[in-house]
Coordinates of all heavy atoms in Angstrom, one line a residue:
G241 N -52.4 -40.1 -47.3 CA -53.6 -40.5 -46.8 C -54.7 -40.1 -47.7 O -54.9 -39.5 -48.6
P242 N -56.0 -40.7 -47.3 CA -57.3 -40.5 -48.1 C -57.6 -38.9 -47.8 O -57.3 -38.3 -46.8 CB -58.3 -41.3 -47.4 CG -57.7 -41.5 -46.0 CD -56.2 -41.6 -46.2
K243 N -58.3 -38.4 -48.9 CA -58.7 -37.1 -48.9 C -59.9 -36.9 -47.9 O -60.7 -37.7 -47.7 CB -59.1 -36.7 -50.3 CG -58.2 -36.6 -51.3 CD -58.5 -36.1 -52.6 CE -57.4 -36.1 -53.6 NZ -57.9 -35.5 -55.0
P244 N -60.0 -35.8 -47.3 CA -61.1 -35.5 -46.3 C -62.5 -35.4 -47.1 O -62.5 -35.1 -48.3 CB -60.7 -34.1 -45.7 CG -59.8 -33.5 -46.7 CD -59.1 -34.6 -47.3
P245 N -63.5 -35.9 -46.5 CA -64.9 -35.8 -47.2 C -65.3 -34.4 -47.5 O -65.0 -33.6 -46.6 CB -65.7 -36.6 -46.2 CG -65.0 -36.4 -44.9 CD -63.6 -36.4 -45.2
R246 N -65.9 -34.2 -48.6 CA -66.5 -32.9 -49.0 C -67.7 -32.6 -48.1 O -68.5 -33.6 -47.8 CB -66.8 -32.9 -50.4 CG -65.5 -33.2 -51.3 CD -65.9 -33.3 -52.7 NE -66.4 -31.9 -53.2 CZ -66.8 -31.8 -54.5 NH1 -66.9 -32.8 -55.3 NH2 -67.3 -30.6 -54.9
P247 N -68.0 -31.4 -47.9 CA -69.3 -31.1 -47.1 C -70.5 -31.3 -48.0 O -70.5 -31.3 -49.3 CB -69.1 -29.6 -46.8 CG -68.1 -29.1 -47.8 CD -67.1 -30.2 -48.1
A248 N -71.7 -31.6 -47.4 CA -72.9 -32.0 -48.1 C -73.4 -30.9 -49.0 O -73.9 -31.1 -50.1 CB -74.1 -32.3 -47.1
A249 N -73.2 -29.6 -48.7 CA -73.7 -28.4 -49.5 C -72.9 -28.4 -50.7 O -73.4 -28.2 -51.8 CB -73.6 -27.2 -48.7
A250 N -71.6 -28.7 -50.7 CA -70.7 -28.7 -52.0 C -71.1 -29.8 -52.9 O -71.2 -29.6 -54.1 CB -69.3 -28.7 -51.5
V251 N -71.5 -30.9 -52.3 CA -71.8 -32.1 -53.1 C -73.1 -31.8 -53.8 O -73.4 -32.1 -54.9 CB -72.0 -33.4 -52.1 CG1 -72.5 -34.6 -53.0 CG2 -70.5 -33.8 -51.6
A252 N -74.0 -31.3 -53.1 CA -75.4 -30.9 -53.7 C -75.3 -30.0 -54.8 O -75.9 -30.1 -55.9 CB -76.4 -30.3 -52.7
V253 N -74.5 -29.0 -54.8 CA -74.3 -28.0 -55.8 C -73.6 -28.6 -57.0 O -73.9 -28.4 -58.1 CB -73.4 -26.8 -55.2 CG1 -73.0 -25.8 -56.3 CG2 -74.2 -26.0 -54.3
A254 N -72.6 -29.5 -56.7 CA -71.9 -30.2 -57.8 C -72.9 -31.2 -58.7 O -72.7 -31.2 -59.8 CB -70.7 -30.9 -57.3
D255 N -73.8 -31.8 -57.9 CA -74.7 -32.7 -58.6 C -75.7 -31.9 -59.4 O -76.1 -32.4 -60.5 CB -75.4 -33.6 -57.6 CG -74.5 -34.6 -56.8 OD1 -73.3 -34.8 -57.4 OD2 -74.9 -35.0 -55.7
S256 N -76.1 -30.8 -59.0 CA -77.1 -30.0 -59.7 C -76.5 -29.5 -61.0 O -77.1 -29.3 -62.1 CB -77.7 -28.8 -58.9 OG -76.5 -28.0 -58.5
T257 N -75.2 -29.2 -61.0 CA -74.6 -28.6 -62.2 C -74.2 -29.7 -63.2 O -74.3 -29.5 -64.3 CB -73.3 -28.0 -61.9 OG1 -72.5 -28.7 -61.0 CG2 -73.6 -26.6 -61.1
D258 N -73.9 -30.9 -62.6 CA -73.6 -32.0 -63.7 C -74.8 -32.8 -64.2 O -74.7 -33.4 -65.3 CB -72.7 -33.0 -62.8 CG -71.4 -32.5 -62.5 OD1 -71.1 -31.4 -63.0 OD2 -70.7 -32.9 -61.5
A259 N -76.0 -32.7 -63.5 CA -77.1 -33.5 -64.1 C -77.8 -32.9 -65.2 O -77.8 -31.6 -65.4 CB -78.2 -33.6 -62.9
P260 N -78.2 -33.8 -66.4 CA -78.8 -33.2 -67.6 C -80.2 -32.7 -67.3 O -80.8 -33.0 -66.4 CB -78.8 -34.4 -68.6 CG -78.9 -35.6 -67.6 CD -78.1 -35.2 -66.4
A261 N -80.6 -31.8 -68.2 CA -82.0 -31.2 -68.1 C -83.0 -32.2 -68.3 O -82.9 -33.0 -69.1 CB -82.1 -29.9 -69.1
A262 N -84.1 -32.1 -67.6 CA -85.3 -33.0 -67.7 C -86.1 -32.7 -69.0 O -86.0 -31.7 -69.7 CB -86.2 -32.8 -66.6
D263 N -86.9 -33.8 -69.5 CA -87.7 -33.6 -70.7 C -88.7 -32.5 -70.6 O -89.3 -32.4 -69.5 CB -88.4 -35.0 -71.0 CG -87.4 -36.1 -71.2 OD1 -86.2 -35.8 -71.5 OD2 -87.8 -37.3 -70.9
G264 N -88.9 -31.8 -71.6 CA -89.8 -30.7 -71.5 C -89.3 -29.5 -71.0 O -89.9 -28.5 -70.9
E265 N -88.2 -29.5 -70.5 CA -87.6 -28.3 -69.8 C -86.6 -27.7 -70.7 O -85.9 -28.3 -71.4 CB -87.0 -28.7 -68.5 CG -87.9 -29.1 -67.4 CD -87.3 -29.4 -66.1 OE1 -85.9 -29.3 -66.1 OE2 -87.9 -29.7 -65.1
D266 N -86.6 -26.5 -70.8 CA -85.6 -25.7 -71.7 C -84.3 -25.5 -70.9 O -84.2 -25.1 -69.9 CB -86.1 -24.3 -71.9 CG -85.3 -23.5 -72.9 OD1 -84.4 -24.3 -73.5 OD2 -85.6 -22.4 -73.2
A267 N -83.4 -26.2 -71.5 CA -82.1 -26.1 -71.0 C -81.3 -24.9 -71.3 O -80.1 -24.8 -70.8 CB -81.3 -27.3 -71.5
G268 N -81.9 -24.0 -72.0 CA -81.2 -22.7 -72.3 C -80.5 -22.8 -73.7 O -80.4 -23.9 -74.2
P269 N -80.3 -21.7 -74.2 CA -79.7 -21.6 -75.6 C -78.3 -22.3 -75.5 O -77.5 -22.1 -74.7 CB -79.6 -20.1 -75.9 CG -79.6 -19.4 -74.6 CD -80.5 -20.3 -73.7
R270 N -78.1 -23.1 -76.6 CA -76.7 -23.7 -76.8 C -75.8 -22.8 -77.5 O -76.2 -22.1 -78.4 CB -77.0 -25.0 -77.4 CG -77.7 -26.0 -76.8 CD -77.7 -27.4 -77.5 NE -76.5 -28.0 -77.6 CZ -76.2 -29.0 -78.4 NH1 -77.2 -29.7 -79.1 NH2 -75.0 -29.5 -78.5
K271 N -74.5 -22.8 -77.0 CA -73.6 -22.1 -77.8 C -73.1 -22.7 -79.0 O -72.9 -23.9 -79.0 CB -72.4 -21.9 -76.9 CG -72.7 -21.0 -75.6 CD -71.3 -20.9 -74.8 CE -71.7 -20.0 -73.5 NZ -70.4 -19.8 -72.8
R272 N -73.1 -21.9 -80.0 CA -72.6 -22.4 -81.4 C -71.2 -22.3 -81.6 O -70.7 -21.2 -81.3 CB -73.5 -21.7 -82.5 CG -75.0 -22.0 -82.4 CD -75.5 -21.3 -83.6 NE -77.0 -21.6 -83.7 CZ -77.8 -21.1 -84.6 NH1 -77.4 -20.4 -85.6 NH2 -79.2 -21.4 -84.5
K273 N -70.7 -23.2 -82.1 CA -69.2 -23.1 -82.5 C -69.1 -22.7 -84.0 O -69.7 -23.4 -84.8 CB -68.6 -24.4 -82.3 CG -68.5 -24.8 -80.8 CD -67.7 -26.1 -80.6 CE -67.7 -26.5 -79.1 NZ -66.9 -27.7 -78.9
R274 N -68.2 -21.8 -84.2 CA -68.1 -21.2 -85.5 C -67.2 -22.3 -86.3 O -66.1 -22.6 -85.8 CB -67.3 -19.9 -85.6 CG -67.2 -19.4 -86.9 CD -66.7 -17.9 -86.8 NE -66.6 -17.3 -88.1 CZ -66.0 -16.1 -88.3 NH1 -65.7 -15.3 -87.2 NH2 -65.9 -15.5 -89.5
K275 N -67.7 -22.7 -87.5 CA -67.0 -23.6 -88.4 C -66.1 -22.9 -89.5 O -66.8 -22.2 -90.2 CB -67.8 -24.7 -89.0 CG -68.5 -25.6 -87.9 CD -69.4 -26.6 -88.6 CE -70.0 -27.5 -87.6 NZ -70.9 -28.6 -88.2
H276 N -64.9 -23.1 -89.5 CA -64.1 -22.6 -90.6 C -64.0 -23.4 -91.8 O -63.6 -24.6 -91.7 CB -62.7 -22.2 -90.0 CG -62.7 -21.2 -89.0 ND1 -62.8 -19.9 -89.1 CD2 -62.7 -21.5 -87.5 CE1 -62.8 -19.3 -87.8 NE2 -62.7 -20.4 -86.9
K277 N -64.4 -22.8 -93.0 CA -64.3 -23.6 -94.2 C -62.9 -23.5 -94.7 O -62.1 -22.5 -94.6 CB -65.2 -23.0 -95.2 CG -66.7 -23.2 -94.9 CD -67.6 -22.6 -96.0 CE -69.0 -22.6 -95.6 NZ -69.9 -22.2 -96.6
P278 N -62.5 -24.7 -95.4 CA -61.1 -24.6 -96.0 C -61.1 -23.7 -97.2 O -62.1 -23.3 -97.8 CB -60.9 -26.1 -96.4 CG -62.3 -26.7 -96.6 CD -63.2 -26.0 -95.6
K279 N -59.9 -23.2 -97.5 CA -59.7 -22.2 -98.6 C -60.0 -22.7 -99.9 O -60.7 -22.0 -100.9 CB -58.2 -21.7 -98.6 CG -57.9 -20.9 -97.3 CD -56.4 -20.4 -97.4 CE -56.1 -19.5 -96.2 NZ -54.7 -19.0 -96.3
G280 N -59.7 -24.0 -100.2 CA -60.0 -24.5 -101.6 C -61.6 -24.6 -101.9 O -62.0 -24.2 -102.9
D281 N -62.2 -25.0 -100.9 CA -63.8 -25.0 -101.2 C -64.3 -23.7 -101.4 O -65.3 -23.5 -102.1 CB -64.4 -25.7 -99.9 CG -64.0 -27.2 -99.8 OD1 -63.4 -27.7 -100.8 OD2 -64.0 -27.8 -98.6
G282 N -63.8 -22.7 -100.7 CA -64.4 -21.4 -100.9 C -64.1 -20.8 -102.2 O -65.0 -20.1 -102.9
D283 N -63.0 -21.1 -102.9 CA -62.6 -20.5 -104.3 C -63.6 -21.2 -105.4 O -64.1 -20.6 -106.3 CB -61.3 -20.8 -104.5 CG -60.3 -20.0 -103.7 OD1 -60.8 -19.0 -103.1 OD2 -59.1 -20.4 -103.5
A284 N -63.9 -22.4 -105.1 CA -64.8 -23.2 -106.1 C -66.1 -22.7 -106.1 O -66.8 -22.5 -107.1 CB -64.7 -24.8 -105.8
A285 N -66.7 -22.5 -104.8 CA -68.0 -21.9 -104.7 C -68.0 -20.5 -105.3 O -69.1 -20.2 -106.0 CB -68.4 -21.9 -103.3
A286 N -67.1 -19.7 -105.3 CA -67.1 -18.3 -105.9 C -67.1 -18.5 -107.3 O -67.7 -17.7 -108.0 CB -65.8 -17.6 -105.4
N287 N -66.4 -19.4 -108.0 CA -66.4 -19.6 -109.5 C -67.8 -20.1 -109.9 O -68.2 -19.6 -111.0 CB -65.3 -20.6 -109.8 CG -63.9 -20.0 -109.5 OD1 -63.7 -18.9 -109.4 ND2 -63.0 -21.0 -109.3
V288 N -68.5 -20.9 -109.3 CA -69.7 -21.4 -109.6 C -70.8 -20.3 -109.6 O -71.6 -20.1 -110.5 CB -70.2 -22.6 -108.7 CG1 -71.7 -22.9 -109.0 CG2 -69.4 -23.7 -108.9
D289 N -70.7 -19.4 -108.6 CA -71.5 -18.3 -108.6 C -71.3 -17.3 -109.6 O -72.3 -16.7 -110.2 CB -71.4 -17.5 -107.1 CG -71.9 -18.5 -106.0 OD1 -72.6 -19.5 -106.3 OD2 -71.5 -18.2 -104.8
A290 N -70.1 -17.1 -110.1 CA -69.8 -16.2 -111.1 C -70.3 -16.8 -112.4 O -70.8 -16.0 -113.2 CB -68.3 -16.0 -111.2
E291 N -70.2 -17.9 -112.8 CA -70.7 -18.5 -113.9 C -72.2 -18.4 -114.1 O -72.8 -18.2 -115.1 CB -70.3 -20.1 -114.1 CG -68.8 -20.1 -114.3 CD -68.4 -21.7 -114.3 OE1 -69.4 -22.5 -114.1 OE2 -67.2 -21.9 -114.5
A292 N -72.9 -18.6 -112.9 CA -74.4 -18.6 -112.9 C -74.8 -17.1 -113.1 O -75.8 -16.9 -113.8 CB -74.8 -19.1 -111.6
A293 N -74.1 -16.2 -112.7 CA -74.5 -14.8 -113.0 C -74.3 -14.4 -114.5 O -75.1 -13.6 -115.0 CB -73.6 -13.9 -112.0
A294 N -73.3 -15.0 -115.1 CA -72.9 -14.7 -116.4 C -74.1 -15.3 -117.3 O -74.5 -14.6 -118.4 CB -71.6 -15.2 -116.8
V295 N -74.7 -16.4 -117.1 CA -75.7 -17.1 -117.9 C -77.0 -16.1 -117.7 O -77.6 -15.9 -118.6 CB -75.9 -18.6 -117.4 CG1 -77.1 -19.1 -118.2 CG2 -74.6 -19.3 -117.7

Side-chain angles (χ1 to χ4, degrees):
K243 294 183 178 180
R246 297 174 66 183
V251 172
V253 172
D255 294 342
S256 63
T257 54
D258 295 340
D263 296 340
E265 294 182 359
D266 190 5
R270 295 180 62 187
K271 293 184 179 180
R272 294 182 180 181
K273 293 184 179 180
R274 185 177 180 181
K275 296 181 180 180
H276 297 279
K277 296 180 180 181
K279 293 183 178 181
D281 297 340
D283 293 341
N287 293 334
V288 171
D289 294 339
E291 291 177 0
V295 174

